[in-house]
Amino acid sequence: MMYQLPSCNPGETISIPPELRDSLSYLNIVWSDMFEAEEINPDRARQQEVHFLKGAPPTWLNFYTSANLPLVERDGFNYLIQLIERKKEKSCLISDVSLRYQPGSGGSTLGMQVLWHFRRDLRCARVIDSDFDTKELSKQVLDLFLLSNEEHAEQAQKTVLLLLDPKDKPVKNELRENLIKDIHNRDINTQTPVVIILNWNTEDFSLKDTLILGSKPSEEKIKQLKERLLQQVRLQRKSQWKVTTTNLLCDEDSGGSALAREILEDVRDEFTCGTWTDPFKTEISENKDEFTREIENMTDELLGKYKTHKKPVLLLLDHKDDKPLRHLLKNLQSKLQQDQTDGPAFVIINAVRKSVVRGPGPVKLKLELLPEEKERFAQKSLEIEEKHKEMSKTFHAFNIIQGGFQKEHAEKVITGEMVNHIEKDKTSTSTKLLSFLALINSYVPGSHLSMSLCEKFIEQTEWPMDEGKPSVEELMKPFMDLIVIFSDGEETANCLRLKHPMIADACLKMVTENKLSRFDITLDFLNKMVKGNESNYEQICNRLLSTRPEGLTGKEMFSRLNLDIMKEGKNNECIKLLETASHLFSTDPFYPQALARLYYIKDNEESKYREAEKWAKKAIERDPKKYYIRDTLGQVHKNHLSRIWIGSIWINVKKTRTDTHLSIAQSAIKAFEDEEKTAEDELDDRFTRFNIRGHLGFLHVCKEIYDLISPKNPLEQKYHDFINGLRGKVESKYDFFEWYLTFSSPSNKTEEPEYVRRDVEDCYKLYFTQGTQTEEETLNEKKLKSFAGMLHFLKSDINVLKQNLSAIEKPQSEDETQTVLYVLANIILSQAGEPAGETEELQDMLQKLWSTEAEGRSPEFYLLVLLLFWPDEEKPNPPNLGDCVQYMSQSYEETYQKHLRGRFLVPLFFYGKGEGLQRLVHALKPHQNGLERPVPSRPHQTDLKLLTQGDERVEVGCLQRIDGNVENHQVFAVRNGQRIKVDTYNQASVCKQGHVSFYLGFTIRGPVAYNITYPN
């Protein structure tokens, strides 16, 4: 092999210098000429093929079809190829393609298939799965792209196709940031992408999924969607989750609801089927008690149907608003906790009718085959049987996939001899080793045991002198048909695992049915395998005992293993396991944290809160610098606040005036304030986002103690003083959340959960509503006093602003705060089509302040200057907008940056085509200026949302494109000969120097270029 890579000239290759090749230690590169100059030993190729079909991870030799049978291409392969072909042609420095796959479905194999397919066209590499440093990885990826340091010779450059399958380490965003920084530092200009990232992640589709059907779909699209929906229903029918959902987002004219009804008809024999149309009648914000009753009644009706028919219920929800669904799901899950039947109780198709829907998301690979896949695997099975004859019966990994991932197929590979071996000797070394493999391969799919540590475990047993210590293969001979031994990047086979996660599930079921409980196996694993080898098992133990998987409505309360043990009512066993792990991993804070959570959430002993507090403090001792470790102590005290011990049980209380509860509230407040400080200190790391849990926990405690002490009754002075002492901090926290939630969101595609703003506002209303004033009047009065609060009225009731405009006095010339509020109020009225002040008058107010002192003002002031003066070409001596942008950036950095870093800054206004104030287009304004019209090519979002979600092709008719230039990877707007620096929404779209045009948005940090377009 000559270690060739594709060059920039089609069909040609280029050699990589040996010293550069040796430096790319993080990358497993697929060479263009891999195996072609070698004489492949047929026995070696056959052995590799057999190993792979049995269940070993694929090697590159498995894809070399001159030596092996071609691999089956699962659904998604061709679509991935098409996506990458399109990404290759984009003028964007970095692109990504996402795949979500269930462990055991062939996701890693599919990723390698894609790399192999493009090896002669792109520079393909897989990140070696190790604890890599993203800065070094970024450097190596760019080295692979450039190959040469001679003025970045263009003939040496070629796009890198990078497979990132990080398992426990989500690094895509951090890697992307480092790549862009390095590209700019190395002054790389290119017409083609530098890197296309294949972002592979595991996901449990047996719990939930989202399918999409756009406007006026073709017959082929409808057929494909029906196949995928039926695939999803059958997958969830096999799951162990009690409640599962599939979100079907469908355009109103797509026929999605009718298609879902067809599915119900097709599977009527397997389920108890039902349809609810627009089932949620009450808004939680309007009448919480009525909403709660409604959810309770719906839950009881569904449970009655399930118990009556004794079959899983397939429920179609056909509606426009699914926000209340999470409350129904939580209620169902809560009431099914004691249900011991196998399989799901409810499979819910949540069909949401929308005026527009979002385009297709990531490619998905599931433990269920589509019709065409079944045909391909059936054909491949015949070829394999023809080639490998009787041996093909031992190809369990392939056979499980070919058989449609049926649980029964996995259970059939366990022979009677294996069961007899376990029954005869539950304590033998071989039985224990099998149970360890079943445990970790079931709960941590893809994990393995090293041969050397298995040998070390075998040495713990005394063996007869005449027999000697057996090898791993000799010891495990009764079970070797279930096991695969493979190499992990080394020449010798050094890893041991079961052939498929479903075989692991079947083995775990078999050993637990033979009186070996999950607790026994895990405790034995910790004491016999992990003890003394902690560094080798750190990730596996974390996944087993402390990592909380994603659930239906958020993270599950505990790890999947702990949840399964709890289902049997054995919370004490979970406590024992976590205590053992906490002792073994004596510096790890997550085990004592999990113990604290287990005590205060699940334990029913009188000492539960003392124990919870003890373990929460131990976690903090181990890592006092992490806010999420400190959060648990606050949650312990908050949970304790409303509960008292009576007789032999803990009960909830609604009113209290005891000093004990006052003391608990003080402890909770201190814990959350300590968490806030820790979150602030963590911001020294530039990749750390500020976390609001301390702020939110503080407000929750304030609301809880206010309700418990009840100021409506006569109180002792100390209670009055305590409540009054909290008012200032409650108002300060409210002010923080007002701008935090208005100016930013978690990402460009996700919003903060609704309960955050609701809880913040509820607490403020409790503490500040006085006399005859209503709670809403109190809140509106507060909102009118801040820039962020006033923006709220564009999304709600503009009449509130009109009625209170007299309270916003025409400001004195030197009062910046009043001027800003007055100008903004008039802009909002104008945006709502109401009479407003003249543009020139508002400009004069701002210009007076600017001429008095231009530098050192608030970001809000500079935002208004940009909004009012950008379109004006006639105003004499206007503020210098280049200076304004610079001052605004400095002011933002001092005022907001540390708390908003890493969050998506919401565009507040866009530059439109109208005149005067009408030229401004507010990003939050609903159903106006054409921003809500459907987009046929990209369903579900408005044009504007598509723009802010990174769609580089969307055209927004009501917005004005701005001319600009790119210099040194920075974008400048060109206005009347003046160059004004603007931020870029997608820095990766700035790939070369020259003329550009873009849409102009305005965030609280300054002007932002969206949808940057180069000529031609």
Side-chain angles (χ1 to χ4, degrees), residues 93-94 96 134-135 137-139 142 164 171-185 195 197 685-689 901-903 986-988 1005:
L93 295 173
I94 304 167
D96 62 83
T134 51
K135 290 182 179 178
L137 176 59
S138 170
K139 176 188 176 300
L142 294 188
L164 192 64
V171 295
K172 189 189 81 169
N173 291 340
E174 190 176 326
L175 174 62
R176 186 185 182 93
E177 192 170 325
N178 280 320
L179 281 167
I180 289 174
K181 183 179 178 182
D182 288 351
I183 288 168
H184 292 174
N185 289 342
V195 57
I197 299 173
D685 180 352
R686 73 186 185 92
F687 286 113
T688 300
R689 291 184 175 198
R901 185 176 62 208
R903 284 173 65 87
N986 179 12
Q987 188 64 39
R1005 185 169 60 193

Side-chain angles (χ1 to χ4, degrees), residues 918-936:
Q918 289 301 310
R919 182 167 285 185
L920 304 178
V921 177
H922 195 283
L924 304 177
K925 183 172 55 177
H927 308 297
Q928 235 171 304
N929 284 357
L931 297 181
E932 292 289 331
R933 67 179 176 80
V935 190

Side-chain angles (χ1 to χ4, degrees), residues 220 238 271 273 316 341 388 415 493 589 612 674 686 848 885:
E220 182 61 26
K238 297 185 293 187
F271 293 91
C273 297
L316 169 61
T341 56
H388 294 283
T415 63
D674 288 344
R686 73 186 185 92
K848 283 180 183 178
V885 169

Side-chain angles (χ1 to χ4, degrees), residues 355-413:
S355 56
V356 281
V357 292
R358 175 172 61 81
V363 180
K364 300 166 186 175
L365 212 57
K366 302 180 179 181
L367 295 174
E368 181 74 22
L369 298 178
L370 291 165
E372 286 187 11
E373 290 181 304
K374 290 178 182 176
E375 294 176 11
R376 289 199 291 270
F377 273 99
Q379 179 60 41
K380 182 59 60 179
S381 180
L382 295 175
E383 296 174 17
I384 289 172
E385 193 174 337
E386 174 72 22
K387 179 176 179 179
H388 294 283
K389 306 299 189 273
E390 192 68 18
M391 185 186 287
S392 63
K393 294 178 181 177
T394 67
F395 296 166
H396 297 318
F398 174 84
N399 292 336
I400 285 173
I401 298 175
Q402 191 268 325
F405 303 99
Q406 297 301 318
K407 183 170 63 174
E408 295 76 16
H409 291 179
E411 291 174 349
K412 281 179 183 176
V413 304

